[in-house]
Amino acid sequence: MSIYRTIHRVSRAATSCRRLYWSTPVQQLPPHYSRFRSSEQVLGCRVISPWFSRSFRSGEPQPQYEEDQVDPFSLVADELSIVANRLRSMVVAEVPKLASAAEYFFKMGVEGKRFRPTVILLMATALNVQISKPPSEGVVDMFSTELRTRLQAIAEITEMIHVASLLHDDVLDDADTRRGIGSLNFVMGNKISVLAGDFLLSRACITLASLKNTEVVSLIATAVEHLVTGETMQMSSSAEQRSSMDYYLQKTYYKTASLISNSCKSIALLTGQTAEVAMLAYEYGKNLGLAFQLIDDVLDFTGTSSSLGKGALSDIRHGIVTAPILYAMEEFPELRSVVDRGLDDPANVDLALEYLGKSHGIQRTRELAAKHASLASAAIDSFPENDDDEDVQRSRRALIELTHRVINRTK
Amino acid sequence: MSIYRTINRISRAATSSYQRLYWSTPVQQSPHHYSRFRSPSEQVLGCRVISPWFSRSFRSGGPQPQYEEDQVDPFSLVADELSIVANRLRSMVVAEVPKLASAAEYFFKMGVEGKRLRPTVILLMATALNVQISKPASEGVVDIISTELRTRLQAIAEITEMIHVASLLHDDVLDDADTRRGIGSLNFVMGNKISVLAGDFLLSRACITLASLKNTEVVSLIATAVEHLVTGETMQMSSSADQRSSMDYYLQKTYYKTASLISNSCKSIALLTGQTAEVAMLAYEYGKNLGLAFQLIDDVLDFTGTSSSLGKGALSDIHHGIVTAPILYAMEEFPELRSVVDRGLDDPANVDLALEYLGKSHGIQRTRELAAKHASLASAAVDSFPENDDEDVQRSRRALIELTHRVINRTK
């Protein structure tokens, strides 16, 4: 057994996708692993080391594999469906006219791989909320406790708020990109989007209120305010602020990390954890969110290859200065004047990319992301001991797994 | 003394509000919170004096208690407290998000334009439900409003105003998109973006303030009101022809858009002051009926404007294709009006035709009657509050009733 562990430890140091390929054949896995392979498609992992699979696919007792292989998304896939269906029915039943916007909600949800709800549901289990063992006839009993429903509500609330902010952002972008073109559909689209966003916000508030925990209401409401503050910071910053790493990190916290961190903290509070543990949960969410955004910034430059310029470059073209550029500015102060001159000019964009290529901006951003990812991992490791419960252990490993995937993803 | 009461009763039966204003004792004899008695409400309401002979007979002499007992200006009663609330609102917006300063100005311009009806109702309701406030000290208003409970009730007023303005900001964004179609400029885009963000900011602030009250039933009520605002707006913009011609649909939409917020705020006040569910429901009924009455008269004024004849009003509802109560009543009398409306009110010819039908019908009158009915339901709710001899409580309750009259009788 020890040699398996050794090789496993070696592989864990490498990219995470190998463990996917290590999986035992589908029919031997417990029901919630049934969609195991599909996550490969979702994540776009490539197989790096087939020789692992050849050596280990046949025979070997399952416990060792289950213990080490944990796919975060599969772990919560069934529960996620329940949450998603509940969300969908809430929107459709109450406001039929918003049906078209509702579709949008779930398209967005799927596109985002439901990252936030996944984190939240994993956190719920990781903090030792008892769930029944899965019976063979289905998953209904697993998630039937009242407490579990409350925790699922946090996932619903978080997703509603996230989508509301996207809808509002899209409205504003629409106004931007369709400037000068007015049509009734355009107006109806905007109006519906703003209303749909407001609707989701109010629904989230109502659901929040039903939890009858005012500290949680406070946390989530603060997260909403942070979303607005972050967006405002982004759109109305001075040149000075735009070139400041501190300002950028603060804005990033507001825009990306605050919601997930406060949701994680809410989970801890609802499960009756101490303030200490609640803060650990918060730290996990915060660092995971920051790591996610920093890699997002990198990928916008690098895209699907590690060389510069193959990415979408949408940030820089919108005049949004992100971490790689900010790091490059530290090495090449003249880059600051290029940025100040205005990134709506393609020549300036090209010049900025040149500087970026010469600098260590990409690498340093990756390092910062890795630092946050390991802070997130450390938070999980500091959770109160819970060795007996397999589900708890597995969820915690899944949360740690997520910190790796956030760093190592290529799209 | 009895003759004063008799004449008072007679005047109360008449058209009303400004008569009692003119009845007031001279300014220097009134308690200090009546000091702004004449100016803002008279100007604001555009009252004209009808019966000067009342004032000549009673202005001099006569013990003050009788006059104070009968004369109550709702807006003056809460004016000082309103300033505190408004300042707190302003500082909350400016301190937190400096970039939204320009939107902040807008907030308070809107607030002033609206005569702050909602916060006034809420603060009056707070006193009417027997929340002890100290007697006014001569050195200022600090002692009056220093209780923690009072601060919580003021928070409801702030929250309500934030939500109201947030909805206006979002509505304006949508209207901007409409009216500036085809013209794109950075200011236009910045304006929209700031407005949507400002609305979201206000909503989130409202939620945070709500949470700080640590009363989840109140959070629920207010959140429901926000959802109603959205639902009402959605109902208005995406109704079918059938729905647009339905009085039930219209009243439901009007409840959502106009009455839900104020009714749920009033109920929240009752809950925060520890009233029974029964009294909370009465407070709710007051707010609901006041809101409905207000909107119905609003509909009428859009046609009649400052005179009682048709067509002098802004006519903005009908030009936007929004079918309101007067037209709906007229449709009952003249079914052919329905097809005119269906043909589309963006055509001025159809608008003129619709106005003709309206003039021939009893639409305006019946809408006024419906408004009056709701106003008296609101009054009745206040009359059903638990007995309370406290002078401030009595005065606030009279002020709430006074509001139901003003809502009906205003001409702008």
Side-chain angles (χ1 to χ4, degrees), chain B residues 299-300 303-304 310 326 358 361-369:
Chain B
D299 293 344
V300 165
F303 289 108
T304 64
L310 216 53
L358 180 60
S361 74
H362 298 101
I364 297 287
Q365 176 187 332
R366 290 174 69 191
T367 307
R368 283 196 186 276
E369 284 165 10

Side-chain angles (χ1 to χ4, degrees), chain B residues 232 235-236 239 242-258 291-300 317 322-329 367 370:
Chain B
M235 282 175 81
Q236 179 160 293
S239 50
D242 268 344
Q243 287 164 332
R244 259 195 305 276
S245 304
S246 153
M247 182 60 94
D248 285 338
Y249 189 84
Y250 165 79
L251 288 174
Q252 180 67 20
K253 180 204 79 176
T254 299
Y255 166 72
Y256 282 151
K257 282 195 64 164
T258 311
L292 288 173
F294 183 90
Q295 186 58 48
L296 288 164
I297 296 296
D298 220 52
D299 293 344
V300 165
D317 288 335
I322 298 172
V323 178
T324 58
I327 297 283
L328 291 169
Y329 275 129
T367 307
L370 183 61

Side-chain angles (χ1 to χ4, degrees), chain A residues 324-336:
Chain A
I325 297 285
L326 290 168
Y327 275 128
M329 268 191 219
E330 286 177 20
E331 294 176 55
F332 298 99
E334 56 269 40
L335 175 53
R336 163 83 193 261

Side-chain angles (χ1 to χ4, degrees), chain A residues 94-95 97-98 168 172 175-176 179-180 182-183 187-188 190-192 194-195 198-199 201-203 205-206 209 212-214 217-218 221-222 224-225 228 231-232 235-236 241, chain B residues 96-97 99-100 170 174 177-178 181-182 184-185 189-190 192-194 196-197 200-201 203-205 207-208 211 214-216 219-220 223-224 226-227 230 233-234 237-238 243:
Chain A
E94 295 293 330
V95 191
K97 308 294 179 188
L98 295 182
H168 280 186
L172 311 170
D176 230 334
R179 191 184 300 187
S183 69
V187 172
M188 283 289 287
N190 271 359
K191 192 156 186 161
I192 281 275
V194 173
L195 284 177
D198 290 346
F199 171 75
L201 278 177
S202 62
R203 274 259 131 214
C205 288
I206 291 173
K212 297 204 182 313
N213 184 318
T214 51
V217 174
S218 232
T222 302
V224 174
E225 180 172 317
V228 174
E231 189 61 33
T232 310
M235 57 168 284
S236 54
Q241 287 163 331
Chain B
E96 294 293 329
V97 191
K99 307 296 179 186
L100 294 182
H170 280 186
L174 312 170
D178 229 337
R181 194 184 298 186
S185 69
V189 172
M190 283 288 287
N192 270 0
K193 193 156 186 161
I194 281 275
V196 172
L197 283 177
D200 289 347
F201 171 75
L203 278 177
S204 62
R205 275 261 130 214
C207 288
I208 291 175
K214 298 204 181 312
N215 184 318
T216 51
V219 174
S220 232
T224 302
V226 174
E227 179 171 317
V230 174
E233 189 61 33
T234 310
M237 58 168 284
S238 55
Q243 287 164 332

Side-chain angles (χ1 to χ4, degrees), chain B residues 52-317:
Chain B
W53 72 269
F54 273 165
S55 69
R56 280 199 301 271
S57 313
F58 295 103
R59 205 197 304 211
S60 55
Q64 268 186 206
Q66 282 84 338
Y67 292 150
E68 280 173 40
E69 194 179 318
D70 293 319
Q71 299 149 18
V72 58
D73 174 56
F75 298 98
S76 309
L77 219 50
V78 297
D80 291 320
E81 204 176 5
L82 263 184
S83 301
I84 293 175
V85 168
N87 286 338
R88 200 180 297 145
L89 263 177
R90 196 190 309 266
S91 65
M92 274 203 304
V93 174
V94 171
E96 294 293 329
V97 191
K99 307 296 179 186
L100 294 182
S102 50
E105 243 178 54
Y106 179 83
F107 297 169
F108 297 103
K109 189 175 61 148
M110 287 308 296
V112 169
E113 273 185 38
K115 294 185 283 295
R116 301 184 195 161
L117 180 66
R118 284 169 200 76
T120 298
V121 168
I122 288 165
L123 294 175
L124 285 173
M125 184 62 72
T127 312
L129 291 174
N130 194 19
V131 178
Q132 288 300 337
I133 58 179
S134 335
K135 297 300 169 202
S138 56
E139 58 265 22
V141 301
V142 173
D143 291 330
I144 291 179
I145 310 173
S146 58
T147 67
E148 190 192 311
L149 177 56
R150 194 74 192 182
T151 308
R152 283 159 69 78
L153 302 177
Q154 289 166 359
I156 297 289
E158 287 157 32
I159 289 163
T160 303
E161 199 62 4
M162 283 192 275
I163 291 172
H164 172 60
V165 173
S167 70
L168 292 181
L169 285 174
H170 280 186
D171 285 354
D172 277 1
V173 165
L174 312 170
D175 291 343
D176 271 356
D178 229 337
T179 58
R180 296 182 207 186
R181 194 184 298 186
I183 302 170
S185 69
L186 186 61
N187 283 347
F188 169 60
V189 172
M190 283 288 287
N192 270 0
K193 193 156 186 161
I194 281 275
S195 294
V196 172
L197 283 177
D200 289 347
F201 171 75
L202 285 179
L203 278 177
S204 62
R205 275 261 130 214
C207 288
I208 291 175
T209 313
L210 261 182
S212 74
L213 296 176
K214 298 204 181 312
N215 184 318
T216 51
E217 198 178 346
V218 168
V219 174
S220 232
L221 285 177
I222 304 295
T224 302
V226 174
E227 179 171 317
H228 284 173
L229 282 172
V230 174
T231 306
E233 189 61 33
T234 310
M235 282 175 81
Q236 179 160 293
M237 58 168 284
S238 55
S239 50
S240 66
D242 268 344
Q243 287 164 332
R244 259 195 305 276
S245 304
S246 153
M247 182 60 94
D248 285 338
Y249 189 84
Y250 165 79
L251 288 174
Q252 180 67 20
K253 180 204 79 176
T254 299
Y255 166 72
Y256 282 151
K257 282 195 64 164
T258 311
S260 174
L261 182 58
I262 189 65
S263 58
N264 282 303
S265 300
C266 287
K267 188 173 180 182
S268 299
I269 293 287
L271 292 177
L272 287 176
T273 54
Q275 301 293 335
T276 62
E278 224 173 26
V279 175
M281 193 45 71
L282 288 172
Y284 175 89
E285 286 294 317
Y286 174 83
K288 182 184 95 176
N289 285 294
L290 188 79
L292 288 173
F294 183 90
Q295 186 58 48
L296 288 164
I297 296 296
D298 220 52
D299 293 344
V300 165
L301 291 177
D302 195 53
F303 289 108
T304 64
T306 53
S307 85
S308 56
S309 60
L310 216 53
K312 296 266 172 63
L315 298 176
S316 74
D317 288 335

